[in-house]
Amino acid sequence: MTTQAQQLPDGGSAICLDRRSRGPGYDATGAAQQALEQHLPTLVADRIATRIFAKDHTLWGPEAEAESAVRLGWVEAATVSQALVPGILELRDALHADGVSRIVLCGMGGSSLAPEVIAGTAGVELTVLDSTDPDQVRAALADRLAETAIVVSSKSGSTLETDSQRRIFEHAFTAAGIDAKSRIIIVTDPGSPLDKASREAGYRAVFNADPNVGGRYSALTAFGLVPSGLAGVDIQAFLDEAEEAAEILNEDAPDNIGLALGAALGGTSPLRDKIVIAEDGSGIVGFADWAEQLIAESTGKSGTGVLPVVAGPAAPEVSSGAADVLVVRLVAADADVELGENEAAIAGGLATQMMVWEFATAVAGRLLGINPFDQPDVEAAKVAARGLLDAQPEPTLAAFVDGAIEVRGGDWLRGAHTAEEAVGALLGTLDDESYLSVQAYFDRLAFAELEGIRDQLAATSGRPVTFGWGPRFLHSTGQFHKGGPAIGVFLQVTAAPAEDLAIPERPFTFRELISAQAAGDAQVLAGHGRPVLRLHLTDRTAGVAQLQEIIAAVAAQSASLTDS
């Protein structure tokens, strides 16, 4: 793919990307272009590209060497994973012969986000269950169970969420008179607890992933390919495209787009640590959500990192002009896009984009001086949640109740007596470096409209806003919130389920599990000295409507003050 940039009168540029190639196209302005000019000569001279593909584990410093030595398998995943294709396709045909037409993926983080993007972009149905919300789990169980097989994906083999999901599906299959073992497929690392237990249980199939690939870099391994392939995606073509992209990236050349994107992500000066990833006609469904977990978990540690913000092309952050924001647009191969100042645009097929962004994130890690392959702070929330599950303490009393919303917060509430005042007090803690993170711990499918408050809050606060569904985001941006710069402000929304759901052979229910996950994460964030406003909806429908009205009122008040 060729790229032609045209200068515009306002100092921006237009990007013209040739549709004749599946290869990536890239253009940049302002800080992104300056980062390229500053770092590209050194990156090329130091042979960073070929050294990454040669699995040089010394690239990220002495402290990262041990982890890096066992986490660089992703550079050859497109080739190594070719051997998986025949077995996946054979199993797909066998399942179809058994009457299976629906695949449910039980997974978290990289194990679920990559297949969701792959299947969505291909227009193939894949039900992704990455929640412990009782209502969302129950809805997944109620849909065509007789035609369903599940893929349980867990790298460690000990992920609490996926274990709970496997248990409830296995119970439901058995209760419906279906041979549960014939409907359960496992993807895990060789030798994991799940690997051993699954083989002993006699499940339909067990696929081992490359243990030298971290979860967020696993799109081209069994974690991305098994659920996508079983659902009906052409995974052979997907891998072939990725192989072509790897060849392009494995060059120490000034036109290496992966080096250019890596420089933009981690090399702006001063660092623009909020990367707004704006879907702008790329045709790739949900790519920004996948890139969000890749970048946040890879870079957000040791008090530094860059925060990805998933947004649309007209989002407030895109036009804010904030000094800490860089916009990256995901565009189509034949796009003619006008770039504003401090923006980049990138195009390419899905597999190409995944290879480019994984490579660029590794490059950004080198520029930031961090290890892009560990996640030292993810465990903190898990430990807190397990502690709450074991202790089963009484819930913290609400500061006050406003309609269908219970309000809990810190001293910064400053005498607020309504939920609207509480939201206003939280926004008042933001400064010129802060970001707001909205975290909703309930059914992301039934209440997807709640995501609309993100743009309103961004416009009202003038600061970047992320929106994540819990516990899904804990395996994504959760690392950045705890390990990155201490500049986050947090709005946590939980909701009472219509009905609880037991987890077979566990001493806790799905409601208790998701409640502990939310409370545990809030506990860790508050322990880091960050403001956390917790809003609990005692009635989901009424509470969501009330919260939307509150955000609209806060936005209107802010606009009125601005106009005056």
Side-chain angles (χ1 to χ4, degrees):
M1 176 176 295
T2 59
T3 305
Q4 297 174 323
Q6 300 172 332
Q7 200 65 26
L8 298 175
D10 62 0
S13 69
I15 182 170
C16 301
L17 303 170
D18 188 347
R19 71 166 72 219
R20 292 171 297 177
S21 169
R22 291 188 301 179
Y26 179 86
D27 195 26
T29 64
Q33 178 63 23
Q34 292 163 13
L36 184 154
E37 294 170 355
Q38 177 183 351
H39 296 289
L40 193 61
T42 301
L43 292 171
V44 171
D46 290 346
R47 299 182 298 105
I48 299 304
T50 53
R51 289 170 66 188
I52 287 176
F53 276 90
K55 302 182 184 178
D56 184 345
H57 63 285
T58 67
L59 287 171
W60 298 276
E63 293 184 1
E65 287 187 14
E67 183 78 18
S68 300
V70 294
R71 286 292 177 263
L72 285 165
W74 57 271
V75 302
E76 60 183 7
T79 299
V80 172
S81 295
Q82 296 277 352
L84 292 170
V85 174
I88 295 171
L89 299 184
E90 182 181 350
L91 178 58
R92 180 171 72 193
D93 291 342
L95 289 170
H96 285 173
D98 291 346
V100 172
S101 60
R102 174 177 178 254
I103 300 295
V104 175
L105 170 59
C106 303
M108 304 298 296
S111 298
S112 63
L113 287 164
E116 186 172 55
V117 176
I118 296 167
T121 301
V124 170
E125 180 189 12
L126 174 66
T127 299
V128 176
L129 181 59
D130 54 1
S131 179
T132 51
D133 176 72
D135 290 355
Q136 189 170 337
V137 174
R138 185 179 295 104
L141 290 168
D143 184 9
R144 295 168 287 161
L145 186 67
E147 303 170 27
T148 296
I150 67 169
V151 177
V152 180
S153 291
S154 171
K155 180 175 176 62
S156 68
S158 59
T159 308
L160 183 57
E161 296 96 332
T162 51
D163 176 73
S164 301
Q165 295 155 357
R166 176 194 59 78
R167 288 171 181 271
I168 193 69
F169 263 99
E170 188 163 8
H171 176 80
F173 283 138
T174 302
I178 300 167
D179 178 13
K181 294 178 182 179
S182 71
R183 298 295 184 91
I184 300 176
I185 298 102
I186 304 295
V187 183
T188 189
D189 275 5
S192 76
L194 181 59
D195 184 30
K196 184 174 183 293
S198 298
R199 295 183 189 280
E200 292 176 352
Y203 291 148
R204 181 67 175 261
V206 178
F207 290 88
N208 286 143
D210 186 345
N212 294 319
V213 180
R216 57 188 175 274
Y217 291 85
S218 66
L220 299 167
T221 73
F223 287 110
L225 299 175
V226 172
S228 304
L230 295 181
V233 174
D234 184 348
I235 54 175
Q236 183 63 66
F238 179 72
L239 288 175
D240 291 345
E241 181 189 329
E243 277 195 306
E244 293 178 17
E247 292 177 7
I248 295 171
L249 294 169
N250 190 11
E251 293 183 2
D252 296 308
D255 61 352
N256 186 322
I257 287 174
L259 294 177
L261 180 61
L265 295 177
T268 52
S269 182
L271 182 65
R272 290 177 176 263
D273 61 357
K274 319 297 190 305
I275 307 295
V276 177
I277 306 175
E279 166 52 44
D280 198 6
S282 72
I284 302 176
V285 178
F287 184 84
D289 292 316
W290 174 82
E292 178 185 45
Q293 59 95 30
L294 172 68
I295 297 167
E297 202 166 56
S298 296
T299 71
K301 59 200 69 170
S302 303
T304 189
V306 290
L307 176 71
V309 178
V310 178
E317 294 94 336
V318 171
S319 57
S320 71
D324 56 347
V325 168
L326 186 76
V327 176
V328 180
R329 296 179 182 270
L330 306 174
V331 301
D334 58 349
D336 187 358
V337 180
E338 293 186 2
L339 291 184
E341 191 63 20
N342 304 310
E343 292 192 1
I346 186 166
L350 173 56
T352 300
Q353 288 274 32
M354 285 180 157
M355 279 299 305
V356 169
W357 284 77
E358 288 177 358
F359 177 87
T361 300
V363 172
R366 177 177 170 85
L367 295 176
L368 290 166
I370 52 92
N371 176 2
F373 305 116
D374 69 350
Q375 48 283 330
D377 301 285
V378 166
E379 192 64 24
K382 295 180 183 179
V383 170
R386 291 189 192 111
L388 291 170
L389 281 173
D390 292 341
Q392 292 289 326
E394 289 296 318
T396 303
L397 291 176
F400 58 88
V401 179
D402 180 359
I405 302 178
E406 297 176 353
V407 179
R408 296 171 175 83
D411 295 339
W412 48 267
L413 276 174
R414 295 194 297 270
H417 295 93
T418 68
E420 182 178 334
E421 290 174 352
V423 170
L426 181 72
L427 297 182
T429 67
L430 291 163
D431 60 33
D432 290 343
E433 295 182 345
S434 300
Y435 67 90
L436 173 65
S437 174
V438 183
Q439 305 167 350
Y441 283 82
F442 53 105
D443 191 338
R444 70 180 177 92
L445 302 179
F447 292 93
E449 74 273 12
L450 184 63
E451 295 181 27
I453 69 174
R454 196 213 72 83
D455 276 8
Q456 290 178 297
L457 287 167
T460 300
S461 65
R463 298 302 304 149
V465 177
T466 67
F467 188 105
W469 290 99
R472 165 184 169 122
F473 82 88
L474 292 174
H475 300 258
S476 176
T477 54
Q479 167 62 43
F480 184 96
H481 297 324
K482 303 170 191 69
I487 53 176
V489 172
F490 301 92
L491 172 58
Q492 183 188 96
V493 186
T494 56
E499 184 182 349
D500 201 357
L501 188 61
I503 303 173
E505 300 179 7
R506 285 291 192 184
F508 49 83
T509 65
F510 276 104
R511 180 191 63 78
E512 290 167 339
L513 174 54
I514 197 169
S515 297
Q517 289 176 306
D521 192 50
Q523 184 182 97
V524 173
L525 292 170
H528 282 264
R530 305 314 304 157
V532 183
L533 174 61
R534 302 182 64 198
L535 303 180
H536 180 69
L537 313 182
T538 55
D539 179 283
R540 293 193 174 193
T541 301
V544 167
Q546 183 182 349
L547 180 56
Q548 289 173 317
E549 291 172 0
I550 287 168
I551 301 303
V554 171
Q557 182 180 19
S558 174
S560 176
L561 292 173
T562 301
D563 293 341
S564 62

